[in-house]
Amino acid sequence: MKIETITKKDGTTVYRTAVYLGVDSLTGKKVKTYVTAKTKKALKSLSDLKIAEFERNGKTRLRKKVEFENFESLANAWLEDYLLTVKSNSQAMMKSHFKRYIIPALGSYKVEKISAPLLQSIVNDWAKKANTASISKGKRPAGASSNYGVLLNTVQRILDYAFQLGVISNNPARMVIAPRLKARGKQKLKYLDKKQLKAFLNYLDSLEQTDKNVFSVTLYKLLLDTGLRIGEALALNWSDIDYNENIIHVNKTVDRLGKVQDNPKSKSGVRDISVSKRTMLMLKQWQNRQRVLHQKYRLSTHIVFSSSVGGHLSRGCVSRTLDTHYKNAGLALTGFHAFRHTHASLLLNAGADYKEIQHRLGHSKIGMTIDTYSHLAPDKAKETASIYEQALKNLG
């Protein structure tokens, strides 16, 4: 340590030295500072104190330390920024995670007192509840989410935020491991097989031609014919329907509350879907009926599946009606995704190319299409077995 002796104007002597603190974790540059003390011993102590302070601050001088009353106040500060970067569905899910898991488990703790053992015990408890919970209709009860790995990741991100603000010198959540989720067998996809599909279509055709029934039948058949997600279908405007080219332009979706999102689930969700003339005729007939209804009610003439007050429908409104139709048709199904899976199954068994199916469904990767739907093509599997058998015979 090079020490400089300085004589002040009043005749007193002080000692000054340059202290190398280390490499700044945010800039990557070497950092040094100067300390001054009345004695060499005090100079050494003050130098050590500056180095320790630099370490506690995450090895950076750019962060200004911010104080939070507890983890809940920190988490809410992080959440406020996070909500500005994601769509409404992700916002709703994160708020649910906060309310049901993260804040009850950690909210009252002082941020600097949160340790890796504490977090590990919390994550272990989440995992235990998920692994021991009874599953009904493919779902675990509230408070037993299987996404505890996502919850841990969220806590990590919140504590990273605390580190960036200088609240903590390291992130204990990064030393925590999420236990493995117990395998309980792969959940089967819900879809209509040939017999069920025929029965359901016959049921739809037998319904009285009321405005409400025609609305529902048009929606259901469109989903079966295109493989659209329900949010994508509810977001359609008539300007998205190209009658000349028999194409539907998919470029937006609605969230669970009926709020329009400017783009679908992913970039690959923006796509054009070719449909049959039969489907286009069905849509044209519904559009003509909708124009008549507009004279009676406030039904929009711009939105394909408008609410009674002229806006976009929420998924919940149409889901309840669908479940009633399923029940009346004698089918033990729920939800709209069965139509999407049925569409994929029909295409696969008819020999459609996986790449084309990927495009129609709006999957970002073809592996997702193959992994999800390959087992829904029993006819193709039988065909493959026959081809193999014939190949053996050809060996002579």
Side-chain angles (χ1 to χ4, degrees):
M1 178 187 293
K2 184 179 179 180
I3 300 175
E4 181 184 359
T5 303
I6 301 174
T7 303
K8 301 173 70 173
K9 291 181 178 181
D10 60 2
T12 59
T13 300
V14 294
Y15 301 94
R16 186 170 184 262
T17 187
V19 180
Y20 174 66
L21 300 178
V23 177
D24 193 293
S25 61
L26 295 180
T27 66
K29 296 181 179 180
K30 293 181 179 180
V31 179
K32 70 176 182 179
T33 190
Y34 291 90
V35 293
T36 304
K38 293 181 178 180
T39 65
K40 292 182 179 180
K41 184 176 181 179
L43 189 69
K44 176 66 168 62
S45 297
L46 186 57
S47 298
D48 292 342
L49 186 64
K50 288 290 184 181
I51 293 172
E53 183 181 289
F54 182 73
E55 292 281 342
R56 284 196 304 273
N57 200 42
K59 294 185 177 181
T60 181
R61 301 184 70 181
L62 297 182
R63 297 185 298 143
K64 183 179 179 181
K65 187 171 181 179
V66 180
E67 293 186 358
F68 293 94
E69 180 182 356
N70 51 31
F71 181 85
E72 182 174 5
S73 60
L74 166 69
N76 286 334
W78 174 86
L79 181 64
E80 186 176 348
D81 289 339
Y82 171 82
L83 295 180
L84 298 175
T85 66
V86 296
K87 299 178 184 177
S88 57
N89 284 342
S90 297
Q91 291 176 5
M93 183 171 291
M94 184 59 73
K95 288 178 181 179
S96 175
H97 286 169
F98 263 54
K99 182 179 180 179
R100 188 165 288 168
Y101 299 98
I102 295 174
I103 298 305
L106 287 163
S108 61
Y109 285 94
K110 292 289 185 182
V111 180
E112 61 273 14
K113 298 296 183 181
I114 295 174
S115 64
L118 170 65
L119 293 173
Q120 188 67 67
S121 68
I122 290 172
V123 175
N124 289 347
D125 183 56
W126 286 338
K128 181 179 179 181
K129 289 179 179 178
N131 283 319
T132 58
S134 58
I135 300 177
S136 176
K137 295 182 179 180
K139 295 183 179 179
R140 290 173 172 80
S145 173
S146 61
N147 290 327
Y148 50 82
V150 175
L151 299 175
L152 171 59
N153 178 261
T154 302
V155 174
Q156 287 177 348
R157 293 169 69 181
I158 294 170
L159 291 177
D160 275 342
Y161 178 65
F163 172 80
Q164 292 164 10
L165 293 176
V167 179
I168 54 177
S169 58
N170 62 77
N171 186 344
R174 297 203 167 274
M175 293 181 280
V176 177
I177 299 173
R180 183 173 297 179
L181 181 66
K182 181 180 177 181
R184 302 197 189 183
K186 191 172 182 179
Q187 185 179 349
K188 293 183 178 180
L189 291 181
K190 298 176 182 178
Y191 74 106
L192 289 79
D193 59 29
K194 290 181 179 179
K195 184 178 179 181
Q196 290 174 320
L197 179 57
K198 185 176 181 179
F200 187 63
L201 291 175
N202 288 338
Y203 162 77
L204 294 180
D205 291 340
S206 71
L207 292 173
E208 183 182 354
Q209 295 294 293
T210 62
D211 296 331
K212 187 175 181 180
N213 282 343
V214 173
F215 172 96
S216 295
V217 172
T218 303
L219 175 60
Y220 303 162
K221 288 187 176 181
L222 178 67
L223 294 172
L224 284 167
D225 289 352
T226 60
L228 284 172
R229 300 177 178 93
I230 181 58
E232 294 170 340
L234 294 179
L236 287 174
N237 294 325
W238 285 114
S239 59
D240 299 318
I241 311 300
D242 187 338
Y243 288 114
N244 293 324
E245 299 296 331
N246 293 340
I247 287 175
I248 295 177
H249 303 291
V250 184
N251 48 44
K252 53 191 172 298
T253 188
V254 298
D255 63 16
R256 296 175 184 178
L257 301 177
K259 183 180 178 181
V260 177
Q261 305 296 303
D262 291 335
N263 45 59
K265 191 174 181 180
S266 63
K267 289 183 179 179
S268 54
V270 178
R271 61 202 189 278
D272 290 344
I273 299 178
S274 297
V275 296
S276 65
K277 291 182 179 179
R278 175 182 56 80
T279 300
M280 281 298 182
L281 177 60
M282 176 185 70
L283 288 172
K284 174 59 75 174
Q285 290 172 340
W286 168 243
Q287 186 176 24
N288 291 336
R289 188 167 190 140
Q290 189 185 68
R291 286 168 178 161
V292 175
L293 292 173
H294 177 67
Q295 305 302 321
K296 298 181 181 179
Y297 313 107
R298 296 173 61 188
L299 207 64
S300 171
T301 55
H302 302 291
I303 303 170
V304 177
F305 299 105
S306 166
S307 70
S308 59
V309 293
H312 287 277
L313 284 161
S314 69
R315 302 178 193 182
C317 292
V318 289
S319 293
R320 289 187 289 272
T321 303
L322 173 63
D323 289 344
T324 299
H325 283 302
Y326 275 147
K327 183 178 180 180
N328 293 340
L331 297 175
L333 290 170
T334 58
F336 283 98
H337 241 56
F339 294 151
R340 184 169 164 84
H341 299 328
T342 301
H343 180 75
S345 174
L346 288 172
L347 290 179
L348 281 172
N349 283 302
D353 182 72
Y354 271 109
K355 195 66 180 176
E356 177 59 27
I357 297 173
Q358 176 198 359
H359 171 74
R360 290 182 72 85
L361 297 180
H363 285 164
S364 57
K365 297 180 180 179
I366 195 169
M368 184 186 302
T369 310
I370 296 173
D371 292 344
T372 304
Y373 294 113
S374 58
H375 68 286
L376 294 186
D379 292 352
K380 299 302 290 182
K382 292 177 182 177
E383 180 183 317
T384 302
S386 298
I387 292 173
Y388 176 74
E389 184 178 4
Q390 186 60 47
L392 288 178
K393 290 180 180 180
N394 292 340
L395 293 175

